[in-house]
Amino acid sequence: MSFFSFGQSAEIDIVLNDAETRKKVEHKTEDGKKDKYFLFYDGETVCGKVNVTLKNPGKRLEHQGIKIEFIGQIELYYDRGNHHEFVSLVKDLARPGELTQSQTFDFEFTHVEKPYESYTGQNVKLRYFLRAVISRRLNDISKEMDIVVHTLSTYPELNSSIKMEVGIEDCLHIEFEYNKSKYHLKDVIVGKIYFLLVRIKVKHMEIDIIKRETTGTGPNVYHENDTIAKYEIMDGAPVRGESIPIRLFLAGYEMTPTMRDINKKFSVRYYLNLVLIDEEERRYFKQQEITLWRKGDIVRKSMSHQAAIASQRFEGSSSAEKAPAQAKEDSN
């Protein structure tokens, strides 16, 4: 927006056609606060109206044209002067001329490609926004409206389990196993830890979920690690042959899908970090990357429906009489 707002003779307002019905989601802003924004997905049409209201009715407003833009851009905080645009669409609303009264202009960006998820991180921000501009000789009048984009994925066909070992020769040998390597954002990490050899006095053990944000390329690469969650597995010394089950619910944590090499500007990856602390406060750890993805509501409903059918089949094979009653209870 122009800094000469006191001299502006018109106000701009952007209103979406489906503003009353479109879902809003919370999204973190650069200062760490949360605001609600309209939610869009890749390929959805963005349409609405631009309302231009003259502050002084009866007084003419000369302009060099009126337009609206749909922009997707990446901003690296250490390079704030440069905005890297990966989507840039423009619709001309009015040719150069003059406005003698307040006016409304319709716009429509059809089936807009929105390839990446909206993201606000430690060193980078990816945002989508509409910007309406009244071009003038001295100072333009403009208004921006941010939206949020979520990227949806389907269930991965290959989702192998994770098996790893942590060992110190003749002192410690631990195996840990997780049920899969790819999780949706509301998923549950299920695993087990086996103590095969324990000759050091383990005092504490936990699993951390680490988010690693990488920005830049070459010599200008920055890494930011953020511990999203800490899950205490045990407090006390394990014995040989012991196994400990793990159930870690992801739904309670603020996470995004895994983002790899977004527009060659940044990546966001997640890791499971197994940490052991002995009585002398020495730390032993092992990291394993996991892939996070966002499951859509439609997919979730179909998956739960399939799960219900599968469970009824299972119950039916073990007890044919209980299945109809269980189905009725499920439907209620």
Side-chain angles (χ1 to χ4, degrees), residues 21 33 60 73 97 103 124 132 134 138 168 197 210 216 218 224 239 246 261 267 278 283-284 286 298 312-313:
T21 56
K33 296 178 182 177
R60 295 182 303 173
Q73 72 178 23
Q103 201 164 336
V124 64
I134 302 174
L138 291 177
I168 303 168
L197 176 65
I210 307 291
E224 287 285 348
V239 296
I246 298 167
D261 200 23
S267 298
D278 67 14
R283 298 170 69 88
Y284 311 89
K286 185 93 171 186
I298 298 170
Q312 286 176 17
R313 282 177 185 163

Coordinates of all heavy atoms in Angstrom, one line a residue, residues 21 33 60 73 97 103 124 132 134 138 168 197 210 216 218 224 239 246 261 267 278 283-284 286 298 312-313:
T21 N -19.3 -19.2 2.4 CA -19.3 -20.6 2.5 C -17.9 -21.2 2.5 O -17.7 -22.4 3.0 CB -20.1 -21.3 1.3 OG1 -19.5 -20.8 0.1 CG2 -21.6 -20.9 1.4
K33 N 2.0 -14.8 15.5 CA 0.6 -14.8 15.8 C -0.2 -15.6 14.8 O 0.3 -16.0 13.7 CB 0.0 -13.4 15.9 CG 0.6 -12.5 16.9 CD 0.1 -11.1 16.9 CE 0.7 -10.2 18.0 NZ 0.2 -8.8 17.9
R60 N -13.8 13.5 -9.6 CA -13.3 12.5 -10.5 C -12.0 11.9 -10.0 O -11.1 12.6 -9.4 CB -13.1 13.1 -11.9 CG -14.4 13.6 -12.6 CD -14.2 14.1 -13.9 NE -13.2 15.2 -13.9 CZ -12.7 15.8 -15.0 NH1 -13.1 15.4 -16.2 NH2 -11.9 16.8 -14.9
Q73 N 4.4 -16.3 -4.0 CA 5.8 -15.9 -4.0 C 6.5 -16.4 -2.7 O 5.8 -16.8 -1.7 CB 5.9 -14.3 -4.0 CG 5.4 -13.6 -2.7 CD 5.6 -12.1 -2.7 OE1 5.7 -11.5 -3.8 NE2 5.7 -11.5 -1.6
G97 N -8.5 5.9 -17.6 CA -9.6 6.8 -17.8 C -9.9 7.5 -16.4 O -8.9 7.8 -15.7
Q103 N -17.4 2.1 -7.9 CA -17.7 1.1 -8.9 C -17.2 -0.3 -8.4 O -16.3 -0.4 -7.6 CB -17.0 1.4 -10.2 CG -17.6 0.8 -11.4 CD -17.1 1.4 -12.7 OE1 -16.7 2.6 -12.7 NE2 -17.1 0.7 -13.8
V124 N 11.9 -18.2 6.1 CA 11.3 -18.1 4.8 C 9.8 -18.1 4.9 O 9.2 -18.5 5.9 CB 11.7 -19.3 3.9 CG1 11.2 -20.6 4.6 CG2 11.3 -19.2 2.5
A132 N -5.2 -5.9 -5.7 CA -5.9 -5.0 -6.6 C -5.2 -3.6 -6.7 O -4.8 -3.1 -5.6 CB -7.3 -4.8 -6.2
I134 N -5.0 0.4 -8.4 CA -5.4 1.5 -9.3 C -4.1 2.3 -9.6 O -3.5 2.9 -8.7 CB -6.4 2.4 -8.5 CG1 -7.7 1.6 -8.1 CG2 -6.8 3.6 -9.4 CD1 -8.6 2.5 -7.3
L138 N 1.3 9.6 -9.7 CA 2.2 9.8 -8.5 C 2.3 8.6 -7.6 O 3.4 8.1 -7.3 CB 1.7 11.1 -7.8 CG 1.8 12.4 -8.5 CD1 1.2 13.5 -7.6 CD2 3.3 12.7 -8.7
I168 N 26.7 -49.2 21.0 CA 28.0 -48.9 21.4 C 28.7 -50.3 21.8 O 28.1 -51.0 22.5 CB 28.1 -48.0 22.7 CG1 27.3 -46.7 22.4 CG2 29.5 -47.7 23.1 CD1 27.0 -45.9 23.6
L197 N 21.2 -55.4 24.5 CA 22.3 -55.4 25.4 C 22.4 -54.1 26.1 O 22.3 -53.0 25.5 CB 23.6 -55.6 24.6 CG 24.9 -55.5 25.4 CD1 25.0 -56.7 26.4 CD2 26.1 -55.5 24.4
I210 N 11.7 -33.7 15.2 CA 12.5 -32.5 14.9 C 12.1 -32.0 13.5 O 12.0 -32.8 12.6 CB 14.0 -32.8 14.8 CG1 14.5 -33.5 16.1 CG2 14.9 -31.6 14.5 CD1 14.5 -32.6 17.3
G216 N 18.1 -21.4 1.2 CA 19.3 -20.9 0.4 C 20.0 -22.1 -0.3 O 19.6 -23.2 -0.3
G218 N 24.1 -23.3 -2.0 CA 25.6 -23.0 -2.0 C 26.1 -22.6 -0.7 O 25.8 -23.1 0.4
E224 N 17.7 -24.5 10.3 CA 17.0 -24.2 11.6 C 16.3 -25.4 12.1 O 15.4 -26.0 11.4 CB 16.0 -23.1 11.4 CG 16.5 -21.7 11.2 CD 17.1 -21.0 12.4 OE1 16.8 -21.6 13.5 OE2 17.8 -20.0 12.3
V239 N 16.3 -53.3 31.2 CA 17.0 -54.6 31.4 C 17.1 -55.3 30.0 O 16.2 -55.0 29.1 CB 16.4 -55.5 32.4 CG1 16.5 -54.9 33.8 CG2 14.9 -55.8 32.1
I246 N 5.6 -47.9 21.6 CA 5.5 -46.5 21.4 C 4.2 -46.2 20.7 O 3.8 -46.8 19.7 CB 6.7 -46.0 20.6 CG1 8.0 -46.2 21.3 CG2 6.5 -44.5 20.3 CD1 9.2 -46.0 20.4
D261 N 12.8 -29.2 -1.5 CA 13.3 -28.3 -2.5 C 12.3 -27.5 -3.2 O 12.1 -27.6 -4.5 CB 14.1 -29.2 -3.5 CG 15.1 -28.4 -4.4 OD1 15.5 -27.4 -3.9 OD2 15.4 -28.9 -5.5
S267 N 13.5 -26.1 2.0 CA 13.0 -27.5 2.3 C 12.6 -27.5 3.7 O 13.1 -26.8 4.6 CB 14.0 -28.6 2.0 OG 14.4 -28.6 0.7
D278 N 22.5 -41.3 29.9 CA 22.9 -42.2 31.0 C 23.1 -41.4 32.3 O 22.9 -40.2 32.4 CB 24.2 -43.0 30.6 CG 25.4 -42.1 30.5 OD1 25.3 -40.9 30.9 OD2 26.4 -42.5 29.9
R283 N 24.8 -38.3 26.3 CA 23.6 -38.4 25.4 C 24.0 -39.3 24.2 O 25.0 -39.1 23.6 CB 23.1 -37.0 24.9 CG 22.6 -36.1 26.0 CD 22.4 -34.7 25.5 NE 21.2 -34.7 24.6 CZ 20.0 -34.5 25.1 NH1 19.7 -34.3 26.4 NH2 19.0 -34.4 24.2
Y284 N 23.1 -40.2 23.9 CA 23.2 -41.0 22.7 C 21.9 -40.8 21.9 O 20.9 -40.9 22.4 CB 23.4 -42.5 23.1 CG 24.4 -42.8 24.1 CD1 24.1 -42.8 25.5 CD2 25.7 -43.0 23.8 CE1 25.0 -43.0 26.5 CE2 26.7 -43.3 24.8 CZ 26.3 -43.2 26.1 OH 27.2 -43.5 27.1
K286 N 19.9 -41.2 17.7 CA 19.9 -41.7 16.4 C 18.7 -41.0 15.7 O 17.6 -41.0 16.2 CB 19.7 -43.2 16.4 CG 19.7 -43.9 15.0 CD 21.1 -44.3 14.7 CE 21.1 -45.2 13.4 NZ 22.4 -45.8 13.1
I298 N -12.2 -35.7 2.0 CA -12.8 -36.7 1.2 C -12.1 -38.0 1.3 O -12.7 -39.0 1.5 CB -12.9 -36.2 -0.3 CG1 -13.7 -34.9 -0.4 CG2 -13.4 -37.3 -1.2 CD1 -13.6 -34.2 -1.7
Q312 N -15.7 -55.0 10.0 CA -16.9 -55.8 10.0 C -16.6 -57.2 9.5 O -17.1 -58.2 10.0 CB -18.0 -55.1 9.2 CG -18.6 -53.9 10.0 CD -19.6 -53.2 9.2 OE1 -20.1 -53.7 8.2 NE2 -19.9 -52.0 9.5
R313 N -15.8 -57.2 8.4 CA -15.4 -58.5 7.8 C -14.6 -59.4 8.8 O -14.9 -60.6 9.0 CB -14.6 -58.3 6.6 CG -15.4 -57.9 5.3 CD -14.4 -57.7 4.2 NE -15.1 -57.2 3.0 CZ -14.6 -56.6 2.0 NH1 -13.3 -56.4 2.0 NH2 -15.3 -56.2 1.0

